Amino acid sequence: MIDRSTGDLIFFPSVRVCVGDQLETVASLALGEGHQVQDMGTGWTWLRTQNVRKESQYFSIGFAFYNNRLRQVHLVFSPTRLELSSSWDTWSESAERQRLGEYKQWVRDELGHEGRFPWGTVEVVYDAKGGSSGISLRYG
């Protein structure tokens, strides 16, 4: 899914999200469901979508654009469909930390390691304050 040499996201042979793409280009791909656009008023705009199916996983993806160019991507995934409206009722720290381990393994399988690449940086992070973990790609 992540091209090791460019950092592009490959969903299908003919569907690719590339570093520097414009929001309109990525939105027109109609990946997943529940598209939300949030203009932060700082030059940054987020496009969020859920249940993007890739092989046996369902991805929730946040695409971050600065001055209308793709600069960051945040990924989480699950083997089952992700709820479009979730609550804290089913959350547990142990389950979230298990997901963190799954995300770290996925990055190792995709790219070999976390860290710097010629096209940017990949980190798998756990945010204790927000109670979530995920995969972060930063381009540039």
Side-chain angles (χ1 to χ4, degrees):
M1 179 169 169
I2 303 174
D3 184 307
R4 288 180 185 220
S5 62
T6 65
D8 295 348
L9 300 177
I10 305 166
F11 294 97
F12 304 101
S14 62
V15 179
R16 178 182 284 247
V17 174
C18 302
V19 176
D21 275 354
Q22 295 182 332
L23 185 143
E24 297 78 15
T25 302
V26 177
S28 72
L29 297 173
L31 300 167
E33 56 192 60
H35 295 105
Q36 297 175 343
V37 175
Q38 184 179 15
D39 185 341
M40 307 306 286
T42 60
W44 286 95
T45 304
W46 283 85
L47 169 65
R48 292 181 175 87
T49 187
Q50 292 193 13
N51 293 316
V52 177
R53 182 79 189 245
K54 178 67 175 158
E55 297 166 1
S56 63
Q57 302 290 350
Y58 290 89
F59 287 83
S60 175
I61 306 173
F63 299 98
F65 301 84
Y66 185 71
N67 292 332
N68 202 28
R69 298 288 179 197
L70 182 64
R71 298 300 311 264
Q72 296 180 24
V73 176
H74 183 79
L75 304 165
V76 298
F77 61 81
S78 171
T80 58
R81 288 180 59 78
L82 297 155
E83 293 297 323
L84 294 180
S85 59
S86 60
S87 72
W88 285 97
D89 296 341
T90 59
W91 182 87
S92 77
E93 183 176 357
S94 62
E96 196 59 44
R97 290 201 179 270
Q98 179 178 342
R99 275 189 282 283
L100 179 70
E102 292 168 4
Y103 297 159
K104 285 182 176 288
Q105 184 60 53
W106 186 84
V107 167
R108 281 191 296 273
D109 293 345
E110 285 286 310
L111 299 171
H113 62 87
E114 291 180 60
R116 295 274 317 139
F117 295 87
W119 44 264
T121 305
V122 176
E123 292 179 285
V124 180
V125 295
Y126 174 71
D127 175 7
K129 199 174 204 178
S132 64
S133 55
I135 302 161
S136 176
L137 289 77
R138 288 188 176 92
Y139 300 114

